[in-house]
Every structure is written in C-alpha cells, then in structure tokens.
Amino acid sequence: MSDRSFLNWPFFEERHRQLADQLDAWCAKNLPVDHHDVDAACRELVAKLGRDGWLKPTALDTDNPGPLDVRTLCITRETLARHDGLADFSFAMQGLGTGALSLFGTPDQQHWLGKTRAGKAISAFALSEPRSGSDVANLEMTATHDGDSYMLSGEKTWISNGGIADLYIVFARTGEAPGAKGISAFIVPAETEGLSIAERLETIAPHPLARLSFDNARVPASALIGKPGDGFRIAMSVLDVFRSTVGAAALGFARRALDESVSRAAERELFGAPMADLQMVQGHIADMALDVDAAALLVYRAAWTKDMGAPRVTREAAMAKLFATDRAQEVIDAAVQLHGGDGVRKDHIVESLYREIRALRIYEGASDVQKVVIARQVMGAA
Ligand SMILES: Cc1cc2nc3c(=O)[nH]c(=O)nc-3n(C[C@H](O)[C@H](O)[C@H](O)COP(=O)(O)OP(=O)(O)OC[C@H]3O[C@@H](n4cnc5c(N)ncnc54)[C@H](O)[C@@H]3O)c2cc1C
C-alpha cells in the first residue's frame, strides 16, 4: 500500500482525497492493460477512462465552464502512473492535446471537448519539429492564408498519439513577426487531406509516437485558435498548466519504485536475515522516501498555486518538473539496484519504470531548459 499521508497536506480538499481513493480502487481493478500493441492499448485505455468518467478533468466542461483543476490532474496522473505508465500517458494526452481549446477555443471549436472528455476522440499536441524541439520559437512549418482557409506545409515530429489521434492541435508559422510572435495554432482533424503519418517512432518505453507530414493540408479559417500570431503564447499557456503534471507522473513512477523496494527488502533474506536489516539498504530507502516527499511538495505546491488563481506558475512548474523527473530517475535506479538481477529482467516492474521515466526528463522542456527557466525567474525577480 502506497503512502497516502501527503493527501492530508493543506494543498488538498476532501474531493481530492476521495478522487485518489476511488481512482486507486479503479486502477486496481482495471490496470495494467496488455501493452503488446500500444496503439490498441491506448485506444482501449482512452475508451475505458472515458467510459468511467476519469477523463472529465482533462478539458473544459462546456456546460459548466471553469478553470482546469491542476491538483486533480496531478493526483490522477500520479495514481495512474503508479499503476500503468500507458494509462497515465493516455490520460495526459487528452489534456495536453486539447489544452489550447479549453483555454482559448471558441464555443464552436470546443465541441471537440465533449468527445475527448468522454473518450470518444483522441487528441494530440503537435509543436515539435525535426529542427526545433527545445527551440520552438524557431519552428518552420508554415500556414499560408488562402481565402477563407489556411494551407499547412511542413513536418512535426515526436508527436504523442501520432497515428491514433482524431485531432491534432498544430502550431505553424503565419509570419506576423519573426520568431515567437509569428506562430499560430490550428485544429487539424486527422482525416485532413495532405496530412499523413511520415514515420512511426519507437522508443525505449513504447507509446504511439509519429512524425507527421503536412503537404498543403487545407483547414478552414475557423480552425485558427485565438488570433494570428497567438500560437506561441497559447502553447506556453498550455504547458504552464500541464508541466507540473509531468512531475506528478514522475512522482507516481517513483512512488511505485519505492513501494516495490520496501516490499522486496521486507521479503528477501540476505545473509540469514531480512534484507531490510542491512543499513545500506535502509539508506537507499530513506533517500528514496526523501526524494518522493520533496518531489510531491514541489508538484502539489505548483498545482495548488495555479488552482488558487496565479496567472502563471512558470517558476513553480519548472521546479516541480525538473526536481520530480530527475529525482524519480534516481529513485528508480536505486529500486533496480535493490532488486538485483530481477531489477534488469525484461518486463519486471522496476525494469519498465526504468525505461518509462527517461523521456520525462526530455519532453515538455528538457531538464536543462527548466534550469534556464528557473534561473531567469529567480534573477528576474531579484
Ligand atoms: C517520448 C516523447 C514524447 C514527445 N511528445 C511530444 C508531443 O506530444 N508533442 C510535441 O510537440 N513534442 C513532443 N516531444 C518532443 C519533445 O518536446 C522534444 O524532444 C524536446 O522538446 C527536446 O527537443 P529535441 O528532441 O529537438 O532536442 P534538442 O532541442 O535538440 O535538445 C537536446 C538537448 O539539448 C539540451 N538543451 C536544449 N536547449 C537547451 C538550453 N536552452 N540550455 C541548455 N541545454 C539545452 C538539453 O539537454 C536537450 O535535451 C516528445 C518527445 C519524446 C521523447
């Protein structure tokens, strides 16, 4: 049983504690799913999560509009990640993929949200390009205004849900100004002519991922989200909501690694006594628990700050993401060590956590980039 004491921290309300309990029980019954075919697994997960109402917090409820509750997003991600990384991925992408619509969409554009919240449509966030990942302000894909439509040309890569998504939120250069001020955001349904899957990408922890090609893909002018030139601001606002949730997913992986290590230390005998009696083992467990609690404090501080109405949580979210993902890597590495040979056995839980955590230190802003962000915030405030 995972430590639940953090739920009594003042960041949370009773509804958050109830959510954590109910979702944990749901996960114990429904997860993990078979990962053999990741596309099928993600489709199944989105459908199941949607059917049972867990995707509702990922996007605006158009019948009862209000801000996204970041604590709910974080608790959900932490809990799902503790049970099944692909379940966390499926949940997270429904939010990241539709974030631009929740925050900036017109009522007409927001019709998608009813479908994604019910698990009846899958969404994707298409920002990165082969030559601009960290350096997104220099993205090259173009969107040319042509009468009452836009023509999109170029490439996007590393797009999660690429190949299985029903809609892509695509960022392209409309050229109002050089750099960040000349980018706009568009809704591009998967069946749009000219949009194709150029390549499926395989990674150490398999997820649906693709490189997308846009060859004069035409979308109506009504597909533009916000105003021309708003795209970079829209992308950053979406990441401002979802970046701390990446830390929450890392926290879920780390908590699972700690739980597995505590069980292993209690169950395994070494040198005629429980492994847990060895002080070096206790040292590992103490370090892991410290990292988990410290990461949780930063993640839920960021989520709480956003939920309390802070317009931006750039510093808090960057700290949460950086610390939680980097420390989760260390916690999971220690778990592998404590499991001995079993720790590197294919498909052992700590082996899969070891593969699962790595990409979180790269996407939605690499760890190095988060350090730059934090330093700018700290020095700018001085
Ligand atoms: C599994 C996975 C899923 C992803 N899903 C999506 C998605 O759904 N949508 C999407 O748009 N993108 C997605 N990405 C792309 C991801 O956001 C980029 O990979 C990331 O931004 C890094 O860009 P890059 O790969 O081009 O690396 P680069 O930009 O080339 O950076 C390489 C390294 O350089 C260092 N670096 C970069 N900038 C700085 C700096 N300013 N200061 C110091 N060091 C720096 C960092 O160590 C960084 O890791 C995903 C990536 C992965 C791996």
Side-chain angles (χ1 to χ4, degrees):
M1 180 71 178
S2 271
D3 177 21
R4 321 276 290 156
S5 58
F6 73 98
L7 291 165
N8 295 322
W9 292 349
F11 298 126
F12 302 109
E13 298 166 26
E14 187 50 32
R15 65 193 171 93
H16 296 116
R17 287 183 274 278
Q18 281 176 13
L19 163 79
D21 285 344
Q22 288 163 3
L23 180 58
D24 207 31
W26 185 89
C27 290
K29 208 164 138 204
N30 291 280
L31 301 179
V33 299
D34 180 2
H35 287 198
H36 187 68
D37 173 345
V38 287
D39 288 6
C42 288
R43 286 197 179 98
E44 180 189 340
L45 282 162
V46 170
K48 271 190 179 168
L49 287 163
R51 178 197 67 196
D52 293 343
W54 300 112
L55 295 178
K56 286 183 182 166
T58 58
L60 182 85
D61 177 358
T62 49
D63 293 331
N64 187 18
L68 299 179
D69 189 76
V70 186
R71 287 166 296 171
T72 295
L73 293 172
C74 286
I75 289 177
T76 305
R77 287 202 69 176
E78 178 184 340
T79 308
L80 292 173
R82 188 156 47 75
H83 288 272
D84 181 356
L86 221 44
D88 163 60
F89 168 85
S90 296
F91 171 86
M93 285 314 304
Q94 291 299 90
L96 186 68
T98 55
L101 295 178
S102 289
L103 300 179
F104 299 96
T106 62
D108 205 33
Q109 292 172 335
Q110 287 172 343
H111 81 272
W112 278 104
L113 303 181
K115 292 183 201 155
T116 59
R117 291 173 81 241
K120 293 191 172 9
I122 294 179
S123 64
F125 177 82
L127 180 63
S128 304
E129 297 183 2
R131 279 198 291 268
S132 58
S134 307
D135 188 10
V136 281
N138 280 321
L139 64 79
E140 293 171 346
M141 183 166 160
T142 56
T144 313
H145 207 166
D146 179 28
D148 58 0
S149 57
Y150 283 90
M151 305 275 274
L152 275 59
S153 288
E155 277 198 341
K156 293 287 169 187
T157 195
W158 295 115
I159 306 310
S160 298
N161 279 341
I164 67 164
D166 298 291
L167 84 145
Y168 296 89
I169 301 299
V170 178
F171 297 84
R173 186 160 296 288
T174 35
E176 291 69 27
K181 296 213 164 96
I183 295 168
S184 302
F186 299 91
I187 306 166
V188 184
E191 65 275 10
T192 303
E193 211 171 310
L195 161 59
S196 60
I197 306 300
E199 183 185 8
R200 291 298 299 263
L201 308 172
E202 290 185 31
T203 54
I204 53 173
H207 299 87
L209 272 176
R211 180 164 59 86
L212 312 178
S213 169
F214 295 79
D215 181 11
N216 284 325
R218 188 183 288 275
V219 292
S222 60
L224 174 73
I225 306 171
K227 293 195 291 298
D230 277 354
F232 187 81
R233 185 173 66 87
I234 291 174
M236 292 308 121
S237 302
V238 171
L239 293 174
D240 203 54
V241 172
F242 287 95
R243 188 164 277 142
S244 28
T245 79
V246 181
L251 180 58
F253 293 142
R255 215 184 276 285
R256 178 67 182 266
L258 173 59
D259 293 348
E260 295 292 332
S261 302
V262 169
S263 301
R264 171 89 178 187
E267 282 157 16
R268 185 154 174 84
E269 282 227 339
L270 284 181
F271 309 105
M275 187 180 164
D277 286 356
L278 296 169
Q279 285 198 340
M280 292 275 274
V281 170
Q282 293 172 11
H284 276 304
I285 299 285
D287 286 343
M288 293 161 91
L290 188 59
D291 279 339
V292 165
D293 275 13
L297 280 163
L298 282 171
V299 165
Y300 290 115
R301 189 254 316 233
W304 175 84
T305 307
K306 186 77 180 168
D307 288 345
M308 291 304 110
R312 295 297 291 248
V313 286
T314 309
R315 168 187 168 138
E316 292 85 351
M319 284 184 173
K321 197 221 172 218
L322 171 67
F323 189 85
T325 57
D326 278 7
R327 298 320 299 170
Q329 182 90 56
E330 297 296 321
V331 169
I332 293 166
D333 188 64
V336 169
Q337 194 70 20
L338 291 175
H339 279 75
D342 284 339
V344 290
R345 244 180 115 166
K346 194 167 179 306
D347 294 335
H348 189 286
I349 178 66
V350 294
E351 181 268 351
S352 59
L353 291 168
Y354 191 76
R355 289 183 288 103
E356 202 69 64
I357 187 60
R358 193 60 186 87
L360 277 65
R361 297 172 59 208
I362 295 171
Y363 63 63
E364 290 189 41
S367 294
D368 319 68
V369 175
Q370 302 309 328
K371 284 187 190 169
V372 174
V373 170
I374 294 166
R376 279 195 195 136
Q377 292 281 315
V378 171
M379 293 189 293

